[in-house]
Amino acid sequence: VLHPALLDAVLHGIGLAVTGHPGLDGVPFAWSGVRLYAAGASVLRARLTLLADGGVRLVATDAEGGAVIEVDRLVTRALPDMRPVAPGRDALFTVEWVAVAEPDTAVDLDGWTVYRATEVAATLLVLQETLVREDARLAVVTSGVDVDPGVAAIWGLVRSAQSEYPDRIVLVDAEDGEVARALAVAGEPQLKVCDGKVLVARLARVVPAGTAGEVWTGTVLVTGGTGGLGALVARHLVAVHGVRSLLLLSRSGVAAAGAERLVEELTVLGARVRIEAVDVTDRDALAAVLVEPVGGVVHAAGVLDDGMVMSLTPERLDAVLRVKAVAAR
């Protein structure tokens, strides 16, 4: 193969030679007619030729003149403006429910598979059984998405499925008699009936509730505290929020890679740190390490076992949900 850093060095020559040439003022985007003749080259001599259609032709040889790579046409594309926005502007978004105008008549449910969801694993099986039928449309109906963590987990699963199967699944939080009325609002993937109104989900900006530098009081518990994310959270709590007492929980405890170094770093910053080895899904074991009151909890523990909806199983879901949902409860 051709080392990517070597090829990248060759492509930088485009910018030096053809600055301002139409179609060649960005990063590599489309390649046509690529032929690799040799592998392992450590030095390249390249010839770049401008094409009338706005591309560039590339021919590269090794130090002895042997052919290495040839590209009939390469076109670049300009990058979007990636400069950071001002603090507080477009920083965070949340979902708000907005009332919409309703059609005069309810939808005919004969064309829908309507499933009243009860728990996550059962919902997964219904998704898999329904989506294999290419003409099937599924309405997953729940009650209490705003107050029931179990229902919220169902919504999380179905939202992921919607990204794979757009326009075939609708989430509805409503009583049975209101489902047809909600589904009449076409083109909406998520609907809710509340206080007699049909609501749809919309993104809205979050108004920051606190400021960097706000001081948290008391001991802060961080689950997954010695992992990559947990360690970042711990440093942030101490350096930005002034936390002076941390309880970091993980399966490996002080035996985790980098745990001792993390304690030293946080101690230098002025924090008192205790690390405990515990399975946060074990209620009794968790209670045993909570020997002092905590002023805050950051639940960073987690198990990653993602995949396409058709490849998931109830057992895989259970392994993930235990660490996140069961441990949180």
Side-chain angles (χ1 to χ4, degrees), residues 196-212:
K197 299 178 180 179
V198 177
L199 311 178
V200 297
R202 294 290 184 265
L203 281 181
R205 288 186 176 88
V206 172
V207 177
T211 60

Side-chain angles (χ1 to χ4, degrees), residues 221-235 246-251 253 256 258-259 262 266 273-276 280 298-302:
L221 165 66
V222 182
T223 69
T226 60
L229 178 59
L232 286 173
V233 167
R235 295 185 184 100
L246 285 172
L247 173 57
L248 307 182
L249 305 183
S250 69
R251 286 181 177 271
L262 177 62
L266 297 174
V273 184
R274 179 163 66 97
I275 296 181
E276 295 286 351
V280 292
V298 180
H299 186 27

Side-chain angles (χ1 to χ4, degrees), residues 37-49:
Y37 299 113
S42 59
V43 175
L44 287 181
R45 301 178 63 184
R47 182 172 72 248
L48 302 169
T49 306

